[in-house]
Amino acid sequence: QKREISNFDYLMYLNTLAGRSYNDYMQYPVFPWVLADYHSETLNLTNPHTFRDLSKPMGAQTVERKHKFIQRFNEVEKNLPAQCHYCTHYSSAIIVASYLVRMEPFTQTFCSLQGGSFDVADRMFHSVKSTWESASRDNMTDVRELIPEFFYLPEFLTNANNFELGCMQDGTVLGDVQLPPWADGDPHKFILLHRQALESDYVSAHLHRWIDLIFGHKQHGSAAVEAVNTYHPYFYGDKIDLNNIKDPLIKSTILGFISNFGQIPKQV
């Protein structure tokens, strides 16, 4: 409010308070998608429609998708131990490694998480626009958010090490990440404009709503249900007392689930 700290610094501060760290891929700092425009030739940061709805989680960015997740919550699938909207998470080790796969040591981390090799090319992170469309609209198992590097590190968007990442079904050979038209194919321009979007008046006025979802009172409980923001019970690390679980198989299953799919930050 006093313009004494940037939105970026504030989010990093909250992530640290909530136990997130660059040293832990499973609890890596989480940042929001702030834009919804990855198709225009120029980026208009004065138009509210340019931005993502920060009051809603990624699973509720479109009305149709939101209703599908509410339906899942109400039906309670037989194989779920409890009601939840999402069985996948917005931040996990594989999400972090997939974003940063073109840079070491994340390349090796990604391959080790994938069993020793790169993923199928069509599932690799190759386009900012298609990743947004997947996470906000198209894919019911994808509700991922972003990582801090999207706002300061152009190098992760280029395949400077010339890794052979594979070829997609349409014949496209994976190399550098495909950027929105407004970036003019320049990773530095993308980072510059993306950071300007994060620090824009619109985001400054609405960022607290996203913080409520990720770090605040809409993280769990009735407020989370109302906000279509509940996740698999295993994702809430502080809600499960592993010391009381005597069966080693169940305990290892829960730990494996958390390490694969992510963990909700500590509530600030």
Side-chain angles (χ1 to χ4, degrees):
Q1 289 180 336
K2 296 180 180 179
R3 306 283 176 163
E4 293 176 357
I5 187 172
S6 68
N7 290 335
F8 183 92
D9 289 336
Y10 186 54
L11 286 172
M12 284 304 300
Y13 180 68
L14 287 177
N15 270 284
T16 303
L17 279 181
R20 314 294 284 191
S21 167
Y22 282 121
N23 298 320
D24 186 351
Y25 293 162
M26 290 184 287
Q27 297 191 78
Y28 207 76
V30 56
F31 269 57
W33 289 94
V34 293
L35 294 173
D37 182 355
Y38 296 98
H39 55 271
S40 297
E41 294 295 328
T42 57
L43 193 61
N44 183 359
L45 296 180
T46 63
N47 182 358
H49 296 294
T50 298
F51 298 91
R52 165 256 181 104
D53 188 341
L54 287 159
S55 69
K56 296 181 175 66
M58 289 303 291
Q61 290 297 307
T62 68
V63 174
E64 180 184 3
R65 197 168 188 234
K66 175 183 175 181
H67 287 322
K68 285 181 180 178
F69 282 120
I70 292 175
Q71 184 179 11
R72 171 189 286 176
F73 181 89
N74 292 332
E75 288 178 351
V76 189
E77 296 173 7
K78 293 178 182 177
N79 61 338
L80 294 181
Q83 282 184 312
C84 68
H85 295 107
Y86 313 115
C87 300
T88 53
H89 199 250
Y90 50 76
S91 176
S92 66
I94 193 67
I95 290 172
V96 172
S98 69
Y99 280 145
L100 300 173
V101 69
R102 290 163 178 79
M103 296 175 60
E104 291 288 15
F106 303 99
T107 311
Q108 294 305 314
T109 301
F110 181 83
C111 288
S112 65
L113 289 170
Q114 283 292 129
S117 62
F118 292 120
D119 198 0
V120 175
D122 287 83
R123 290 202 298 257
M124 296 277 285
F125 172 53
H126 66 277
S127 160
V128 178
K129 178 175 181 282
S130 65
T131 301
W132 159 255
E133 291 172 347
S134 172
S136 67
R137 187 186 71 197
D138 297 338
N139 188 344
M140 290 291 285
T141 63
D142 184 2
V143 292
R144 79 185 84 175
E145 293 279 7
L146 299 182
I147 54 177
E149 284 82 352
F150 272 85
F151 301 94
Y152 70 82
L153 189 71
E155 286 79 10
F156 88 96
L157 297 165
T158 61
N159 187 21
N161 293 315
N162 295 314
F163 292 119
E164 294 184 5
L165 302 172
C167 184
M168 298 172 64
Q169 287 184 349
D170 64 3
T172 302
V173 177
L174 261 58
D176 297 346
V177 175
Q178 295 172 13
L179 302 176
W182 45 259
D184 296 326
D186 182 351
H188 290 82
K189 185 174 182 180
F190 172 83
I191 295 295
L192 175 67
L193 292 174
H194 206 216
R195 183 64 174 267
Q196 288 178 358
L198 178 65
E199 305 298 341
S200 67
D201 289 340
Y202 179 91
V203 172
S204 296
H206 295 85
L207 188 58
H208 64 286
R209 298 185 180 277
W210 182 83
I211 291 169
D212 286 343
L213 295 169
I214 306 299
F215 302 107
H217 76 289
K218 292 183 179 179
Q219 190 189 75
H220 59 259
S222 58
V225 174
E226 189 175 338
V228 193
N229 192 43
T230 65
Y231 294 82
H232 191 288
Y234 290 170
F235 296 156
Y236 297 88
D238 56 345
K239 300 288 186 291
I240 299 172
D241 188 356
L242 291 172
N243 294 324
N244 288 334
I245 299 174
K246 304 303 180 186
D247 189 326
L249 184 59
I250 294 176
K251 183 181 289 190
S252 66
T253 299
I254 293 174
L255 286 171
F257 197 95
I258 294 169
S259 66
N260 280 319
F261 292 102
Q263 197 168 346
I264 301 288
K266 292 176 184 174
Q267 190 173 28
V268 176

